[in-house]
Amino acid sequence: MSFSFPVVSVESAMLDEAEQFNQNLIATIQALPDQWQFPPSVTRERRMQGASTFPAPELSPNAETLSIPGQRQPIPLRLLKAPSGAPDGVMMHIHGGGFVFGSASFQDAYLEARSRATNLDIISVDYRLAPEHPFPAGLDDCVAAALWITGEGATKHGWRKIAIAGESSGANLALSTLVRLRDTYKTAPFSCAAFLSGFFDLGLTPSARNWGNKPLLITTRDLNLFAKHYLLNGEDRQHPEASPLFAELHDLPPSIVTAGTQDPLLDDSLFLTSRLQATNSDVEVEIYPNGCHVFQGFELGLAKVSLSSIDTFIKKRMASQF
């Protein structure tokens, strides 16, 4: 039996660019202090100041911060309106950062580009972070945001079609949100989903376990520490709401799953795709050669190809919903 690895064909110049970028990124990270020598709160502040792998976030003047009720405290949402003024719907976005880092305000430019390309309003969720707020706090916030977006928010803003997307741990939370909405709230309001470089198994898939200490954005140690901080109360790493690869995955919306071959979490995307296919779900998978973890967040030819494909997928699936 032959196995067809779903690698997207791209120009050789893009492969060379991505490979050179990877080497430069490794060198940059190696020159920085170990992020784990600081408490997570300090590392978050350093990232806000640009004292990390990434520059300080550039906030868009077009973004609006909303606040909705949460279980324990208000949940901030970042709203970017479609430039057309007549959106075709809304996309709920969940940022990555290993459940420990990240913010809804870190990717205004990235989300504005997605809004222009899809003609969707975008809501990004500032969910609570671990270890101060361990599992299931972040998921609870994402579910509350989803219920608001599909309920009061949809009524207020006229959103009839709704997509969901996330990167890395954000993809984990997006998938777990869909499952909880289906099982607890008996609702399936999303037209489609996009999962980028998802962290779907906190027990670590083989590619994550075998990656080692090469600091191409994340390492095996990072992934273990993310899981440890998130599951601070000792929950089973195979708990289906913590590791949605172990959840029942039937009756989910059409989805696109994407990762790069130079991503420790490659197996997470491949395994998730197989599980979705086993339920006869409508799922597409795209694996990009030389792509690092969440390579779509960088200025790369590879990223432009991938994002164009994701945007097209979302537009087509949204257009097919009535």
Side-chain angles (χ1 to χ4, degrees), residues 208-265:
R209 286 172 178 260
N210 294 334
W211 181 262
N213 60 5
K214 182 170 67 172
L216 186 52
L217 211 61
I218 53 173
T219 66
T220 299
R221 173 189 176 223
D222 292 330
L223 294 169
N224 274 314
L225 287 170
F226 288 148
K228 179 180 178 180
H229 282 76
Y230 187 47
L231 303 179
L232 195 64
N233 296 316
E235 292 88 352
D236 184 354
R237 288 197 181 193
Q238 294 183 357
H239 188 299
E241 283 203 332
S243 294
L245 191 64
F246 294 90
E248 293 291 337
L249 298 178
H250 58 85
D251 299 319
L252 297 179
S255 60
I256 183 168
V257 179
T258 184
T261 61
Q262 294 303 306
D263 185 348
L265 297 176

Side-chain angles (χ1 to χ4, degrees), residues 67-85:
S67 180
I68 63 170
Q71 288 187 353
R72 305 265 178 170
Q73 62 191 54
I75 304 168
L77 305 178
R78 196 158 181 82
L79 170 63
L80 294 110
K81 301 287 288 184
S84 69

